[in-house]
Amino acid sequence: MLSRKGIIPEEYVLTRLAEDPAEPRYRARERKARFVSKKGNCNVAHKNIREQGRFLQDVFTTLVDLKWPHTLLIFTMSFLCSWLLFAMVWWLIAFAHGDLANGEGATVPCVTSINSFSSAFLFSIEVQVTIGFGGRMVTEECPLAILILIVQNIVGLMINAIMLGCIFMKTAQAHRRAETLIFSKHAVIALRHGRLCFMLRVGDLRKSMIISATIRMQVVRKTTSPEGEVVPLHQVDIPMENGVGGNSIFLVAPLVIYHIIDANSPLYDLAPSDLHHHQDLEIIVILEGVVETTGITTQARTSYLADEILWGQRFVPIVTEEDGRYAVDYSKFGNTIKVPTPLCTAHQLDEDRSLLDALTLASARGPLRKRSVAMAKAKPRFSISPDSLS
């Protein structure tokens, strides 16, 4: 790290002395491209769009979707350009009426105190922003000047409405609220009620709740149809379960959402060994709801690749009761523990339930066996000799 910053020359770094140029270097295996990132952004690049004019048909949405530097630039230039445009119009009116002759002539000017382009620019700002310093004003001499005054006021109101609405929508976008909706970094597969289940944990960091929150999950993988058509992003909806049943959740505290891996599940033939070699598997989780304070619908997304799914582990409890109320320890939000889980697919487990019975028996004998071994290794504190009994 010091050599990259230029503090220590590279030829004096010990790590370079330990390298052998003759040895082959192996690159790390490239990770599968995600369809949805961990933060919820869609990892899709749109290229070769020929109909660019469609974006101009919805100017407001285009402005909201722009990045902040571009939005602020358009915000500033829209006002400057309108001020300069109408300043030119006011200067032309004064020039055509002969008001730029520095007071020569007895005619009443169209606009008082306009002697140059600078004064016309200042008057344009006063009209559009309604500052009204009182030094310049439109007279009854020129009906055209009155018409331009009305037009500039209408144009100024339209620019204010569009740009201020755009700034408001960018600051109050729904994905801002989704920043406080968190998912566990890893998902787990373990037994629950005698069935293999895919589980993850979701929580809300804010006290203001998400109303009518629903959660759904999709499996995205590359498939080939019987006709030979390759579908690179085949999406399959799979049902999620929670403690109360259904997709609606009451997200007042972190919940463990699970999916039962049954015969209708795309994970029915997923084995523990496939998690390290199944590169085409990605599970997307989508949480939707209405923000209680603003009434805006928000959506939080995340995804789990095959190597982010832990087999045979379970989330640790993080909700405890303290001083008459429940407390949530978010430092253990993603912590898991190992639990007895059969190393087979859900399909194999349904065909041979004896695997589950053997696992249950082994887990039940485990504590007793450990206790018996511990008691055998323990030394007695005292002994009774035969002579003491006589």
Side-chain angles (χ1 to χ4, degrees), residues 185-350:
K185 183 178 180 181
H186 295 88
V188 299
I189 293 180
L191 288 174
R192 174 173 282 193
H193 304 298
R195 305 295 298 271
L196 283 176
C197 296
F198 173 88
M199 293 177 283
L200 61 101
R201 177 174 277 168
V202 61
D204 188 3
L205 300 179
R206 289 189 181 273
K207 291 185 178 180
S208 59
M209 297 183 57
I210 300 295
I211 304 174
S212 303
T214 58
I215 192 166
R216 57 192 178 94
M217 187 172 68
Q218 291 183 345
V219 173
V220 178
R221 58 173 51 168
K222 182 179 179 180
T223 59
T224 304
S225 64
E227 294 79 13
E229 180 185 3
V230 178
V231 182
L233 296 174
H234 181 61
Q235 303 179 25
V236 180
D237 287 329
I238 56 178
M240 299 291 289
E241 301 292 339
N242 57 73
V244 297
N247 291 338
S248 298
I249 59 177
F250 184 53
L251 200 58
V252 67
L255 297 176
V256 175
I257 311 298
Y258 65 95
H259 158 68
I260 300 177
I261 305 178
D262 53 12
N264 298 323
S265 173
L267 309 178
Y268 194 51
D269 293 321
L270 182 67
S273 59
D274 297 334
L275 297 180
H276 302 283
H277 307 287
H278 207 304
Q279 295 298 319
D280 293 332
L281 176 65
E282 181 177 0
I283 300 177
I284 300 174
V285 183
I286 303 173
L287 173 64
E288 294 179 347
V290 179
V291 182
E292 183 180 19
T293 54
T294 61
I296 300 176
T297 303
T298 185
Q299 185 182 93
R301 301 179 293 267
T302 190
S303 68
Y304 299 96
L305 297 181
D307 56 355
E308 295 173 345
I309 302 174
L310 307 178
W311 191 283
Q313 299 199 29
R314 182 182 299 163
F315 292 104
V316 299
I318 61 174
V319 180
T320 57
E321 187 175 356
E322 298 178 0
D323 300 331
R325 64 177 183 177
Y326 294 98
V328 181
D329 186 5
Y330 281 97
S331 63
K332 303 177 182 178
F333 184 82
N335 292 2
T336 59
I337 56 174
K338 291 185 178 181
V339 292
T341 306
L343 300 177
C344 63
T345 65
H347 190 182
Q348 296 172 348
L349 185 62
D350 289 344

Side-chain angles (χ1 to χ4, degrees), residues 11-171:
E11 58 266 23
Y12 294 104
V13 181
L14 295 179
T15 55
R16 292 184 59 86
L17 299 177
E19 296 178 359
D20 187 2
E23 292 182 359
R25 297 184 180 181
Y26 299 95
R27 289 185 176 180
R29 184 178 57 182
E30 294 183 1
R31 199 169 190 180
K32 175 184 177 293
R34 310 182 77 104
F35 184 51
V36 176
S37 66
K38 297 295 288 184
K39 295 183 179 181
N41 300 322
C42 294
N43 189 23
V44 178
H46 300 277
K47 298 182 179 180
N48 300 327
I49 301 178
R50 299 181 179 179
E51 299 181 0
Q52 298 287 346
R54 292 181 176 270
F55 294 97
L56 298 178
Q57 296 177 3
D58 188 7
V59 179
F60 186 79
T61 304
T62 303
L63 291 176
V64 173
D65 290 340
L66 290 176
K67 296 182 179 180
W68 271 108
H70 299 159
T71 302
L72 295 177
L73 178 62
I74 294 175
F75 180 85
T76 304
M77 294 304 298
S78 61
F79 284 101
L80 286 178
C81 292
S82 63
W83 294 340
L84 289 172
L85 175 63
F86 283 99
M88 180 63 68
V89 174
W90 290 119
W91 184 84
L92 291 175
I93 291 176
F95 178 78
H97 194 260
D99 299 337
L100 302 180
N102 295 325
E104 296 180 1
T107 58
V108 179
C110 294
V111 181
T112 60
S113 301
I114 291 186
N115 303 319
S116 62
F117 182 79
S118 299
S119 58
F121 181 72
L122 290 175
F123 180 71
S124 176
I125 296 176
E126 293 175 13
V127 170
Q128 189 164 330
V129 189
T130 63
I131 296 177
F133 291 118
R136 301 173 180 86
M137 62 180 179
V138 179
T139 64
E140 300 176 357
E141 182 68 18
C142 302
L144 180 60
I146 300 175
L147 179 61
I148 297 301
L149 178 66
I150 297 174
V151 172
Q152 185 173 4
N153 279 319
I154 295 175
V155 172
L157 290 175
M158 293 179 61
I159 295 176
N160 288 337
I162 295 174
M163 299 311 302
L164 294 180
C166 175
I167 296 296
F168 172 77
M169 291 302 298
K170 286 187 70 66
T171 54

